[in-house]
Structures are given as structure tokens and as C-alpha cells.
Amino acid sequence: MVMPLKPIFLYSLNPHRNSNFRRFTHLGRLQFSSKPDFFEDNYRLSFIVSKVLDILSNPRLHWQTSAELNSLSSKLRPRHVEKLVEIHGNTEVALQFFYWVSKRNFYKHDMSCYVSMLNRLVFDKKFVPADHVRILMIKACRNEGELKWVIEYLSELKRKGLGDSLYSFNTLLIQLGKFEMVETAKSAYQEIMSSGTEPSLLTFNTMINILCKKGRVEEAKLIMSHIYQRELSPDVFTYTSLILGHSRNRDLDAAFVVFDRMVQDGIDPNAATYTTLINGLCTEGRVDEAMDMLDEMIEKGIKPTVYTYTVPISSLCAVGREKEAVDLVVSMRKRGCEPNVQTYTALISGLSQSGLLEVAIGLYHNMLRKGLLPTVVTFNILITELCGAKKVDRASRIFHLIEVHGYKPNTITYNALIHGLCLVGNIERAMVLLSEMLKVGPAPTVITYNTLINGYLKQGFLDNAMRLLDLMKNNGCKADEWTYAELISGFCKRGKLDSASALFEEMIKHGLSPNQVNYTALIDGLSKEEKVDDALALLKTMEARGCTPGIETYNAIINGLSKQKRLLEAEKLCNKITESGLLPNVITYSTLIDGLSRNGGTRLAFKIFHDMKRRNCIPNLYTYSSLIYGLCLEGQADNAESLLREMEQKGFAPDYVTYTSLIDGFVALGRLAHAFLLFRQMVDKGCEPNYRTFGVLLKGLQKECQLLSGEVSVLHERVYSSTASNNDVSFELLCTLLDRMSEIGCEPNAGTYCTLLLGLSREGKTYEADQLIEHMEEKGFSPTSAVYCSLLVSYCNNMKVDAALEIFDSLVQQGFRPPLPIYQSLICALCRRSRLKEVEVLFENMLGKQWNNDEIVWTILIDGLLKEKKSELCMKLLHVMESKSCPISFQTYVILARELSKLDEAALQMREAELWLSLTFKELTFCRSNAQGSISIVVNSHLLMAFYMSSKVGIGPEGIKLEQQY
């Protein structure tokens, strides 16, 4: 029996006389009306209702053909129809009008209309039309919640005489199957079987299909036995459902047994039968068998549907057989079967994942030209693949098209775009998307937060990553093992081992079991900071807790041991790897080789190098680069160059690290001409030099100039430095470098200048950078926005505020959107110059753009002003944000208050108290509006802190107000 859910209606009252009935219909409207904007007065009818009522009540008019009614129909809304059905004096006319209006364009009954109509019909005991309206009501349900409400409502109507009908039962089962409400469907089925209504084959087939979609084949077989008990015979739908059930359970042998039995029973399979088996074969990776089955159904004269082709097309793409997939689309068209949205989506997905993204995008545009509307799934695939290829601008354009096509981006859509933005380093835009999710939905998931946390960590913004973790917790999203793995790894990479260890302990405290990734991240961090004994201790803990180390875990420790020249222990650990069933990989060997090469053990490094080749472990670029570095360190640059040729013969393309090490080796030997020759080879092979490469050459040119001028009388050979010293780099020396590049056929280009400018800016050499920009522009090149941003920060650090503002204004005029750290640098520099009015103007202009407000506070107020100890200005700008309706989260207020308290200055006590009081009022207001006046523990703690701070500085007006209220 389907259990009712306390329906909120009355149905047994006379709709023509009793006011309680009218009260009920309003309740129905509150529950279901599409636009419950206002309550119509029970004693006054709206103009539209009055006019329509007059037309329906005029016996001299044929209202169905009335031009006036036809004109008014476009203005009718469900609340009008509900009222008309309720008050019209003739039930039959009300019913005909109910049907008539449902066929109007752009009109659709809501549930309150069905309720009003059914109440009238049941009250008048017109059960036959009531049954028809009941069926329409069931079919109109849009979701599981609505269908549950209808079930409980109809259960009450049964007790007032509206008996069951087979048609209504079957319709209900079909709808329950649509929303996958399996248990409710089973209850409804049992009710049919005990109601005295004779079920049909459709009843049994529907129930079998509902169960088989969930793989519950044994229960479906029990229903099938009821078919035989009623002396009915299973049909093609029955067998196809069972085949589907076995396929869902990934038991294709059982599915084919049912197929064979079906044929033996004289029932011809149809397109749905074959499609189910073909899809099952594709799911199991048996694509060739699926294609054979497709051929078989065509030979038997069974026309494949568009759904038959869709999964094979996707499966062919998934195994790299894109041409066959495209050929299959051509074949289906020849057979008169046009691809639909799902077919295009499958092909777009397959082509994208096979690396043919541009072809997939072309297919998407072809789909649009054919008038096919993409689904959210189509958009999600394109956005995901574009973001994976770092084509975020194109992905963003598609993202904005989703709503244009009438859809709403879902969590997958947002997560894909956020991932892409973080991938290209645009964390600020990603945080704006988080703001949208928090404001209008869908709610962020742990994947959303993990992606953003990882984005912050990659850029080195460790504080923001931790603030986001706090925000995540505050928003009710529980951090998982991957959250902590990212944080632990990020903090370790920046040398913050204490914080990483604290995070490791925190995850255990929260009931999360550290996995291999968590342990390896911390072990790697400890090893890189040369705390190898701590790493070894953690390895023992890891094993004791039942977490098996992976090869990456061992490689991390081997790296640490190698750096400390503890080679015997490293060798023992390699033996342990083998004993544990793991095989040392190229990273294991390369780690040992790198450690030895950097510590004067090149001879032993080569021994390991030859040993790894004997073990069929192919060296990689990192292996060769480590050996080349070691040889150059020992003054063997010629041998290092020979090794470079060997690695090229093996098919490895040297990168800038390899070339720079080799160039530096020859510079150290005083062989500058050969170093430039290698530089030319590097450029010719498409390997872009970085600032360190140029720095090595500048070091060589500097020594050459000193030697020629007699400042250096002896060239110290075999002295190798891995670090280029550019402290004395002058514009003249830079020009010498550029001229020498021209002489060897490496004409400086825009990239050359930009690389040098970025390096100079990072080193604070703004004078040299200015001169180089002039030289660059004379050559017809222009700096990039990244160069200007770097130079702007350098100006700010050197207190050249006007020059920084000039760059800033120029960038904004060109349409460039400066990131938040640029605003932070400018605001802090202006503060140091006491140009506070300009700070406010700049800050207010910034607020007019699209940002995540929490990130503004984190970056500008906390990491900028508070670190500069500008608390007064910090609080002033916070009030500016509040006055501009730029709300921040409660957690950010807490973070701001915490940071204020760290300053520990008597002058800050009043400001700190003010913030705590403001914070407390905000949270108390929130709790009162959301929890009926209850105050959480966290609010109580803020309240106590507010009183504590007030007592230190004297309770002001807000403190008195707070004291009076609480």
C-alpha cells in the first residue's frame, strides 16, 4: 500500500457553497502554483476571471469559438483557471473549459488546477471523467516530490468514491519508473494485485522494466511468474527488459541466454532488443562483437534507431577508432537515420578525448547549423576538454551560451571551468565562479574547493588556500583526503613543514585515514628539507598503520638520502623496494643519479646509469640532465657535450635546463665562444632560453670584459658555478649580449626582450628595465602585459609610485584587467607615501569590477594593509566595502579579526573591539532569521570576545546596545 504523506487539502465539501473549499483551493495554489504572486479575494473576482465567466455562462454563445475568449486565453494563468473551475455553476462546462484551455499555446495546468477539477468531479460523483483527469494529473508530475504529493492526494480521493482503474494504475507505474521510484512502484504494484483490478501485460512489463533498470533481475523474474499465472505470454518488451537487467549487472552471458530463449519462443527481437545487447557489449569493451550484432540486425531487416548507433560511436572513439565512428555516422545517414543530440554528443566526446578537439568543435557548430539544441551534457564535454587543453576563453564563451539555450550550468559545468581557470593561473576568475555558486547555485562540492585550493597552492598563496579551507568547512562541505593531500604537498613544496605536519594531524583528528598520497606528500617534503630521519620514521608509521608505500614514497626518501650522501642507506632502500614486490623505476634511478651528481659523485652516478640500462630501465631527460650537470660541475664540459649528443641520438630533446647547465660549464672554463655556439644550437632546436640562461651568458661576458680591461689576470679554469651572478648587470652589458646574439645569427625577438625584462623586474632593476624597454621599442617590439605587471610591482617595491600608476592606467585603458596582487602592491605603495585619498579612489574603482569579495579582503586588507600595519586604513576600506554592498562571508570576518589581534598594539584595541561587535551583530542577526532566535556556540564565543574587548577599551554605543539585548 502506498503510504500517504499528510495531504494538505479538503475535498468533501460543496464547492458551490462552502467557504472551506475555497480555503482549500488557495492552499493548493500555495503548494503548486507557477506564480503565487498574490491572493485573489474570495469575494471579488479579477477582471479576467469575470470576463471569462460571463462568456462561459452565456447560453446564447458558443464559447469554444468565441473570438473574445480566444483573445483572453493568452492572459489566462493557472490561478485563473483554478478559480473558474471552482466557481462555475455547471460542472460539465467547467470540465470542457478545463480541457479546452489545456490545449492553448503557452499554457499549462499546475497541480492546483487538477485539484480543483477533481474535487468538483468527485463531489458530483462524475467518476469516469474524474478518472481521466486523474490520469492527466499523474502524467503532469514533473519530479519525484510532486508525484509523491499526487499519490497521497489520490489516496484520499479513493476513500470518497473514486475507484481504481487499470489505466490509472498503469500510468502511475510508468511515472514511478520515469523517476526511478522503485520502492514506491513495488507498493503500487502490490496494491494493484490486491485491489481486485485485473492487471494487464502492460502492468507486469512496466514493473519488470522498473526493476531491471536497477539490475534487480531476480525480483523481475518473480513478476514474470505472475504473467504465466494469469495465463498471459511474455512479449518482446518483457524479454528486452530482462536482457537490460542482465546487461546492467554486466552479465552478458545471461543476457544472451534470455535472447536465445526469446527467439525459441517465437518472439522476434526488435530494435530495442538489439540496441540493449549492443550497448551491453560496448560497455564491456567488446566493440567488434557489438558491430557484428549491428550488422546482424540490419541483415534481418530490423532498422536500427538513432539510439542503436549512439553508444557504438562513442565506444569506437574511446578505443581510438575515430574514422570508423565517423564512417558509422555516414552509414546511419544513408539508412535514413539522422543523428540526434545524443549521437552528436557521443561523437564530440569521443573525438575530444582522442585528441581531435578541433574536429569535435567543428561538429558542435555543424550540430547548431542543423538546428539541434545541445544539452548540458554536450556543453559540459566541450568545456571540460577545452579547459583541459587550456583554451579557457573558448570554454568561457560556451559556458555563457548555456543559459542562452535555456539551461542552467550544473556542478560539473562549474567545476570544469574552475579547473581550467586554475590550470592557466587565473584563480581570481575561478573565485568569482565560486561566488556565483554560493549565491545562486549549484552548491560547490568538495571537488570545487579542492580545485581552488590546488590553484592557490600552485601560485604559492598558502594563506589563501588555508582561508578557503576554513570557508569550505563553514559552508558545510567536509574536506576529504585529497583536500589534505593537496595542502600538505603545497606547504611542503614551500618549506612549511610545521604547517604541513599540523595539517596531517588535523586530518587524523577529523577521522580521515591518511592514504598513500597523504603520507608520500609529507615524506617528500621532509626529504627535500633534508629531514630524512623524520621521513624514515613516518615511513615506519605508515607501514604500521597498514598503508602500503608506493614507489613514489620510496623515491622521495631515496632523493633525501642521496642529497645527504647517505648512499649505503639509499641502496638498502632500493633492495627493500624489490623485496616488497615493487620495481625501481626511472625516477628511482634518476633520483640517485641526481643526488650523486650534485655532490661530486659523478663516477658512481655513471655506474648506476649503466646499471639501470642493464636492467632495461630506459633513462629519461632528467637522468641525462643530472649527469650533464655533474660533469660540468667537475669541469668536464666536453664530456658533458658528448653525453648531450648521445641523448639526442636516443631521441631525447634537451630542454632549457640541460642546455643552460652545459652553457654554464663552458662559461666556467672561459670558453665563451663555444657557450654561444651551444646557445645558437639551443635556439635553432626550438628550445626557449630563460632568464637564467641569459644570466649565464652575461656572467661570461662580464668576465670577458674584466679580462680585457686587465681587472682579471688569471682565468680560474675548472671552477663551475651553477648560479649566475647578475648583481653588476648594466644596460651596456645587456646591449653587448644582444649584439653578440645578432653576430651568431640569433636575432633578438620580442620573447628575448620580455624574458630579460621579467628577470630584471624580479631583481628590482627598474632603471635597466626602463632602458631596455626603450631599446626594445626602437626595434619595433612591445612588452607584454605580464612584463608591465612585473615592472609595476618592482616600481612599487622601489617606491616609484607615479611610474607604477602610469603603467597601471595604461594597462586599464588597453582593456587589461590587473589581478588583485597588482592592486595590493599599488595600495601598499601609496600608503607608504601617505597618499591615502588615492588609495580610497583606487579601492572604490576596484570594487566596481567583478571580484570575489572574500578574496579582496584576503589579498588587499589582510595580506596587504595589515602586513603593512595599516589597521586604521584596513578598517576604513572594510566599511567602504560594506557601504558598496560587497558582502563578505562570516568566516572572513573571523579571519580579519584574528589577524588584527596578532598585531598586539594598544592603538588597535578599539578597532578590534569594533570589528568583533560588528561581527557578533551580523552572526546574531543571521541566527535569529535562520534558527528562530537560537544562538550557536560560535556566536556565543564572539559575544564573549566582544564584551572582553569592550571592557579593555570602554564600551561604546554598540557595546551598550549589545549588553542591553543579550
Side-chain angles (χ1 to χ4, degrees), residues 226 242 566:
H226 297 165
L242 288 170
R566 295 163 64 175

Side-chain angles (χ1 to χ4, degrees), residues 301-523:
I302 301 170
K303 187 178 179 180
T305 67
V306 67
Y307 303 105
T308 314
Y309 287 104
T310 300
V311 174
I313 287 169
S314 180
S315 299
L316 285 168
C317 289
V319 294
R321 294 160 65 176
E322 299 85 8
K323 186 179 182 304
E324 292 175 68
V326 174
D327 290 343
L328 193 56
V329 173
V330 174
S331 173
M332 71 183 285
R333 278 180 172 156
K334 286 180 179 177
R335 296 184 181 281
C337 183
E338 280 298 316
N340 64 6
V341 175
Q342 285 72 32
T343 317
Y344 274 104
T345 301
L347 194 54
I348 287 168
S349 174
L351 291 170
S352 300
Q353 292 173 12
S354 301
L356 300 171
L357 180 57
E358 292 303 323
V359 179
I361 291 169
L363 201 61
Y364 160 74
H365 290 298
N366 186 45
M367 174 184 176
L368 293 177
R369 284 193 295 271
K370 289 182 177 293
L372 291 172
L373 184 65
T375 65
V376 174
V377 175
T378 320
F379 288 121
N380 285 352
I381 289 167
L382 284 170
I383 290 169
T384 300
E385 296 302 326
L386 283 167
C387 286
K390 297 186 178 181
K391 299 180 178 181
V392 181
D393 289 338
R394 293 172 74 178
S396 296
R397 287 196 291 272
I398 291 176
F399 180 86
H400 293 302
L401 282 175
I402 294 178
E403 291 192 350
V404 173
H405 286 293
Y407 299 114
K408 289 286 185 184
N410 59 22
T411 307
I412 295 171
T413 324
Y414 274 101
N415 285 350
L417 189 52
I418 286 171
H419 171 71
L421 289 164
C422 290
L423 207 59
V424 299
N426 195 346
I427 185 72
E428 290 164 346
R429 173 62 187 146
M431 285 295 289
V432 171
L433 290 178
L434 176 67
S435 298
E436 290 179 16
M437 294 180 79
L438 291 170
K439 186 176 179 181
V440 297
T445 63
V446 66
I447 294 172
T448 317
Y449 286 109
N450 286 355
T451 305
L452 289 165
I453 286 170
N454 188 39
Y456 273 132
L457 293 169
K458 281 183 177 178
Q459 293 191 16
F461 298 148
L462 305 185
D463 289 338
N464 278 6
M466 287 302 295
R467 290 160 186 159
L468 195 57
L469 177 65
D470 290 340
L471 189 67
M472 174 184 185
K473 294 173 184 175
N474 197 53
N475 288 332
C477 188
K478 188 177 180 182
D480 62 8
E481 290 86 354
W482 295 104
T483 317
Y484 285 100
E486 296 286 1
L487 285 164
I488 291 166
S489 177
F491 275 86
C492 285
K493 285 176 183 176
R494 301 286 171 173
K496 305 283 187 179
L497 285 180
D498 290 341
S499 298
S501 299
L503 284 163
F504 189 84
E505 294 302 322
E506 181 182 312
M507 72 175 292
I508 296 172
K509 182 181 177 182
H510 288 313
L512 295 171
S513 298
N515 57 25
Q516 188 185 97
V517 177
N518 301 127
Y519 278 109
T520 302
L522 189 52
I523 286 170

Side-chain angles (χ1 to χ4, degrees), residues 54 299 430 603 639:
D54 288 342
E299 288 171 8
R603 187 186 299 275
N639 290 337

Side-chain angles (χ1 to χ4, degrees), residues 128 242 691 835 884 886:
V128 173
L242 288 170
Y691 186 63
R835 293 161 65 170
K884 296 285 184 182
C886 298

Side-chain angles (χ1 to χ4, degrees), residues 637-893:
D638 289 308
N639 290 337
E641 189 174 6
S642 299
L643 192 60
L644 177 75
R645 305 300 167 220
E646 179 186 320
M647 70 177 284
E648 288 178 318
Q649 290 170 4
K650 298 285 185 182
F652 295 107
D655 62 3
Y656 69 89
V657 175
T658 319
Y659 273 114
T660 302
S661 295
L662 195 55
I663 290 168
D664 201 2
F666 280 101
V667 166
L669 295 175
R671 296 167 63 182
L672 188 58
H674 196 79
F676 269 103
L677 179 64
L678 284 168
F679 178 81
R680 167 67 188 267
Q681 292 175 13
M682 173 184 186
V683 173
D684 287 346
K685 291 183 180 179
C687 183
E688 290 292 329
N690 64 0
Y691 186 63
R692 185 175 173 276
T693 315
F694 289 121
V696 167
L697 292 171
L698 286 167
K699 179 183 67 175
L701 288 169
Q702 194 175 42
K703 286 184 178 180
E704 185 180 69
C705 291
Q706 291 170 346
L707 187 62
L708 291 172
S709 64
E711 293 179 26
V712 178
S713 58
V714 180
L715 181 66
H716 299 284
E717 294 188 3
R718 299 175 64 85
V719 175
Y720 176 77
S721 171
S722 62
T723 304
S725 176
N726 297 328
N727 292 331
D728 299 324
V729 171
S730 64
F731 175 64
E732 290 73 18
L733 194 62
L734 289 167
C735 288
T736 303
L737 172 66
L738 296 171
D739 291 340
R740 188 69 69 90
M741 286 176 64
S742 297
E743 289 171 10
I744 64 171
C746 290
E747 197 63 39
N749 55 24
T752 309
Y753 283 100
C754 287
T755 301
L756 287 168
L757 285 166
L758 284 168
L760 291 169
S761 298
R762 283 194 294 269
E763 292 179 351
K765 300 181 186 299
T766 55
Y767 176 75
E768 291 80 5
D770 286 339
Q771 290 180 302
L772 191 60
I773 286 177
E774 288 183 20
H775 189 274
M776 177 183 189
E777 289 173 342
E778 287 173 4
K779 296 290 184 180
F781 301 119
S782 297
T784 63
S785 56
V787 169
Y788 278 124
C789 284
S790 182
L791 187 57
L792 185 152
V793 172
S794 190
Y795 278 141
C796 289
N797 293 337
N798 290 342
M799 299 300 291
K800 297 179 179 180
V801 183
D802 289 321
L805 285 170
E806 187 178 340
I807 291 178
F808 179 83
D809 291 338
S810 175
L811 287 171
V812 171
Q813 286 171 12
Q814 293 172 32
F816 177 74
R817 175 179 166 175
L820 281 174
I822 295 296
Y823 283 100
Q824 181 204 78
S825 295
L826 273 173
I827 287 171
C828 289
L830 287 166
C831 282
R832 290 187 216 113
R833 289 292 188 189
S834 300
R835 293 161 65 170
L836 302 185
K837 185 61 181 175
E838 290 173 82
V839 169
E840 289 184 49
V841 172
L842 182 63
F843 189 74
E844 289 189 22
N845 288 339
M846 184 192 72
L847 294 179
K849 298 173 177 60
Q850 196 178 26
W851 300 100
N852 178 291
N853 296 327
D854 290 312
E855 194 176 25
I856 290 176
V857 175
W858 300 346
T859 307
I860 308 296
L861 304 189
I862 298 176
D863 289 340
L865 295 176
L866 288 189
K867 287 186 178 178
E868 294 280 331
K869 297 188 177 181
K870 302 290 184 182
S871 59
E872 293 285 334
L873 184 58
C874 171
M875 293 299 297
K876 189 172 185 178
L877 295 186
L878 176 65
H879 291 317
V880 168
M881 285 188 70
E882 292 173 334
S883 68
K884 296 285 184 182
S885 299
C886 298
I888 61 175
S889 69
F890 175 70
Q891 186 59 37
T892 295
Y893 276 109

